[in-house]
Amino acid sequence: MHEMILILDFGSQYTQLIARRVREMNVYCEIHPWNKCPELTPNIKGVILSGSPFSVRDEASPKPNLDAIKGKLPLLGVCFGAQYLSHNFGGEVMPSNTREYGRAHLSYVDHSNVLTKGMSDGSQVWMSHGDTIKKIPSNYKIIASTSDVEVAGYQVEGEETFGIQFHPEVYHSLEGAILLKNFIANVCHCKQDWTPDSFVEETVAKLKAQIGDDKVILGLSGGVDSSVAAVLLNKAIGANLHCIFVDNGLLRKNEFAQVLDSYKHMGLNVKGVDASAKFYEALAGLTDPELKRKAIGRVFIEVFDEESKLVENAKWLGQGTIYPDVIESVSVNGGPSQTIKSHHNVGGLPDYMKLQVVEPLRLLFKDEVRRIGRSMNIDEALLGRHPFPGPGLGIRILGEVTAEKVRILQEVDSIFINGLKEDGLYDDVWQAGAIFLPIQSVGVMGDERTYENAVALRAVTSTDGMTADWCHLPYEFLAKISNRIINQVKGINRVTYDISSKPPATIEWE
C-alpha cells in the first residue's frame, strides 16, 4: 500500500484543492468525511483537517473524535481545522470584528519551525473565515501572524500538531506550497513516490484482481478520460474489454466518424452505435437542465444495457469518471460538501442492469489523467483535447433540444474550435465551446431585418475544472470568429462572449 495523507473534510470549498496540492508532490491522498474516518492503517503518514462553512462555536458544527490522531500522527488543521484544534483543547475562538477574507501578509514567521521554514516575512496568504483564534491553549506556540490575525499559525509543543488560519492550498497563498511540502516531506516524511508509472502498475494489478476473467463494456467518448480508462483496462484484461462509442446526436460536428477512426491504431476493440434518435426522443419537450441530464443519462444506460446483452457474459461497465465528476455530483464519500450538479456517469446503475461499475480514474483529477496517459504513450493530440461534457451539446442548448438546434450549434462550435487551432490558441485554452441561447434578437443583413438566434462563446483556463477563469482571447480573434459564424451559419445573427469565472459561475451553462 502506498503512503497516504488522509484529509478529513468538514465541507470546505477548498478541500479538493488540498488534495491536488498534496498529489502534485507525488504523494497519494484521500478525502473522507470527518465523521467517517477510515481505519488508521500504517500507510497513513499524516492527517489534514479541512476548512468548513461552520463556526466551531455552532452547536451543530462538526465535532470529530481525534483521540487516535492528535499527538499520535502528524496533524495539520487548516482554517476551521485550526480553530477546532484550539477551541476544543482550551483555546478561545470568537467572531472577527470584520470578516477576514482575501489577501493578507505574514508580519511574523518562525523561520526555525519545521512547518514555516523557508517562508518569507511579508509572504502573501489567503484568508477566508468569519471567526478568529483569540487565545490558544498554554502548550501551543505561535509560528505565524499577520497584522490583523495574531494566531495565523501555531504548533502544539511536544506534538507534530499544527494549525494555520490561512489557506495554503489556494493560488493566492504564494508560498503555500512551501508550507505544505514542509508538512508532507519534513513532518510526515513521505517518500513522494506516487508517480504516473506507479499508478499504472498498481491500477492494472488491482483491475486484474477485481475483474479476473470477466468481460467489461466501456463507454468511449473520444475524450481524455474514457480513452485513458480504456487503455488501463486493456492493459489489465486485453480482449475481454469491449468498447462502445455511442452517437447520442449531441456530439460535435463529424465527431462520431473522427473518434472511431482515432481508435483504430490503439489496439482497442471498439463498436460504434448510432442511438441519436433515442436521445432526441427522450429530450423532446424538456427544458429543465437536471431533467435533460437525467434523460440523457437514462438513455445512455439503456443503450449500454442493450449492448451488454450482445456481449456474452459481460459483467462490468467501465467508465471514465474522474474526481471532479464525483465531487460535484455527490458529497465526497458521503461527506458534507454540497452537490453542484448531477453527472450522467456518476452514482451507479439501475437495479435491472446486471453490470457492476469499474472506474479506474475515479480518484484522479484531469491533469493527473493526462499525466497517466502520457506515461502510457497515448497520442498527445488525444490527451490535449479539451474536456467535453458527457451530455454533450444537450447542456449547451438552453431550453428544449431539437435536431435543428444541434445542427446550428455544431456549425458554430466547429468554426470556434477550428479558429482556435488555426490561430495557435487551442492549447492556451482548457475548455471551449458554444452555447445556444433561448432568445432571438433583431439584426440586419443587407437591407433586410432579421429576427434570429443568439449564441455565446465560452473559453476558460483551468487545471482541474474545480475553478476556472475566463480566457482573455484577443479581440481581433473574437471579431473574426463572430463574423464567420454570422456569415456562415444560417439562423444566427448575434454572437456574445462569456466573461464569467468559476466560481461563481460554472464552466457549462447547464
Side-chain angles (χ1 to χ4, degrees):
M1 297 176 69
H2 249 298
E3 294 179 340
M4 184 178 90
I5 297 297
L6 171 63
I7 301 171
L8 294 183
D9 180 22
F10 296 94
S12 169
Q13 62 178 316
Y14 298 134
T15 302
Q16 293 76 35
L17 287 179
I18 299 175
R20 283 202 67 252
R21 298 297 177 254
V22 172
R23 293 186 185 186
E24 285 170 358
M25 298 175 191
N26 292 333
V27 176
Y28 182 65
C29 64
E30 288 184 3
I31 300 171
H32 288 266
W34 64 270
N35 56 350
K36 295 182 181 178
C37 183
E39 179 186 354
L40 297 175
T41 51
N43 65 312
I44 295 177
K45 309 299 288 186
V47 179
I48 298 176
L49 308 180
S50 82
S52 175
F54 287 99
S55 165
V56 295
R57 297 174 297 103
D58 292 343
E59 190 63 34
S61 66
K63 295 177 176 59
N65 182 348
L66 301 177
D67 290 348
I69 298 174
K70 186 176 178 294
K72 299 178 178 65
L73 286 172
L75 178 62
L76 174 64
V78 176
C79 198
F80 175 91
Q83 293 174 358
Y84 180 84
L85 288 173
S86 178
H87 176 78
N88 200 56
F89 293 92
E92 185 178 11
V93 174
M94 298 293 292
S96 304
N97 293 330
T98 58
R99 187 164 184 260
E100 293 162 341
Y101 184 86
R103 294 173 179 84
H105 295 86
L106 297 179
S107 58
Y108 164 70
V109 177
D110 183 347
H111 299 292
S112 66
N113 189 273
V114 64
L115 188 71
T116 49
K117 187 176 183 179
M119 297 184 70
S120 308
D121 294 319
S123 179
Q124 178 180 292
V125 296
W126 186 262
M127 298 285 190
S128 180
H129 55 96
D131 290 344
T132 194
I133 301 170
K134 291 295 185 182
K135 186 178 74 172
I136 53 178
S138 58
N139 62 330
Y140 285 33
K141 175 189 175 184
I142 294 175
I143 60 173
S145 304
T146 71
S147 56
D148 295 323
V149 180
E150 181 184 9
V151 187
Y154 62 75
Q155 179 179 3
V156 180
E157 295 178 350
E159 294 183 16
E160 292 179 318
T161 299
F162 305 84
I164 48 172
Q165 187 63 84
F166 54 92
H167 287 270
E169 69 273 21
V170 304
Y171 172 79
H172 294 96
S173 288
L174 300 184
E175 294 183 337
I178 295 176
L179 185 148
L180 287 174
K181 186 173 182 179
N182 284 339
F183 181 72
I184 297 298
N186 301 328
V187 179
C188 300
H189 302 293
C190 292
K191 295 176 184 176
Q192 297 179 266
D193 59 356
W194 189 67
T195 62
D197 287 344
S198 70
F199 176 85
V200 171
E201 181 181 347
E202 293 170 16
T203 301
V204 168
K206 288 179 182 177
L207 290 172
K208 286 180 178 179
Q210 180 182 14
I211 298 168
D213 294 326
D214 294 345
K215 293 180 181 178
V216 177
I217 297 176
L218 172 74
L220 282 175
S221 69
V224 177
D225 304 334
S226 65
S227 300
V228 173
V231 174
L232 279 169
L233 282 162
N234 192 51
K235 282 180 174 289
I237 62 173
N240 280 343
L241 174 64
H242 296 258
C243 298
I244 308 292
F245 178 47
V246 175
D247 183 0
N248 58 10
L250 305 169
L251 303 174
R252 285 175 159 152
K253 184 179 179 181
N254 300 326
E255 189 168 22
F256 187 54
Q258 290 172 356
V259 167
L260 286 176
D261 184 66
S262 71
Y263 286 119
K264 283 183 179 179
H265 308 293
M266 293 179 64
L268 298 175
N269 175 24
V270 184
K271 177 183 179 182
V273 179
D274 183 356
S276 53
K278 293 182 179 180
F279 284 88
Y280 285 153
E281 182 181 356
L283 288 166
L286 299 183
T287 59
D288 180 83
E290 275 297 291
L291 293 180
K292 289 197 294 183
R293 281 180 175 272
K294 292 184 186 309
I296 293 168
R298 174 177 55 78
V299 178
F300 176 82
I301 295 297
E302 290 172 357
V303 170
F304 268 85
D305 186 37
E306 293 172 6
E307 291 300 323
S308 71
K309 293 172 182 175
L310 302 179
V311 179
E312 188 176 353
N313 296 322
K315 295 183 180 180
W316 298 85
L317 176 64
Q319 296 190 148
T321 309
I322 63 173
Y323 219 3
D325 297 339
V326 177
I327 292 163
E328 290 191 338
S329 297
V330 294
S331 300
V332 177
N333 294 325
S337 299
Q338 285 195 332
T339 296
I340 305 299
K341 59 189 176 184
S342 65
H343 285 256
H344 78 289
N345 59 342
V346 177
L349 299 172
D351 292 338
Y352 68 80
M353 194 171 181
K354 304 305 180 184
L355 295 179
Q356 302 175 74
V357 175
V358 57
E359 298 169 316
L361 308 178
R362 187 178 177 87
L363 294 178
L364 295 184
F365 292 99
K366 177 70 75 173
D367 55 328
E368 294 174 327
V369 175
R370 288 195 169 102
R371 289 173 62 198
I372 300 302
R374 290 187 183 98
S375 76
M376 297 190 295
N377 298 314
I378 295 178
D379 189 344
E380 190 63 36
L382 192 153
L383 293 178
R385 287 190 65 183
H386 290 176
F388 189 65
L393 301 182
I395 59 169
R396 291 183 178 175
I397 296 172
L398 306 193
E400 184 180 8
V401 176
T402 67
E404 176 62 9
K405 289 179 182 178
V406 170
R407 182 198 66 78
I408 291 174
L409 192 57
Q410 284 177 332
E411 295 295 333
V412 172
D413 179 85
S414 178
I415 291 171
F416 185 29
I417 298 300
N418 288 332
L420 288 169
K421 292 178 178 178
E422 289 169 8
D423 283 35
L425 296 169
Y426 186 82
D427 291 337
D428 296 332
V429 176
W430 191 76
Q431 182 170 332
I435 297 91
F436 190 101
L437 304 180
I439 57 173
Q440 292 184 314
S441 67
V442 174
V444 58
M445 293 184 179
D447 294 326
E448 295 184 2
R449 175 184 183 274
T450 63
Y451 192 61
E452 294 181 329
N453 301 293
V455 292
L457 304 182
R458 178 80 157 137
V460 299
T461 56
S462 181
T463 56
D464 54 23
M466 298 304 301
T467 60
D469 195 11
W470 65 278
C471 196
H472 295 237
L473 296 176
Y475 290 149
E476 295 79 10
F477 170 79
L478 291 172
K480 177 175 64 176
I481 295 301
S482 173
N483 188 56
R484 282 185 188 173
I485 290 171
I486 292 172
N487 284 333
Q488 297 178 23
V489 183
K490 185 177 181 180
I492 300 295
N493 70 353
R494 191 174 299 273
V495 176
T496 66
Y497 187 57
D498 182 351
I499 60 169
S500 44
S501 297
K502 175 185 180 179
T506 54
I507 295 176
E508 300 294 343
W509 281 39
E510 289 191 341

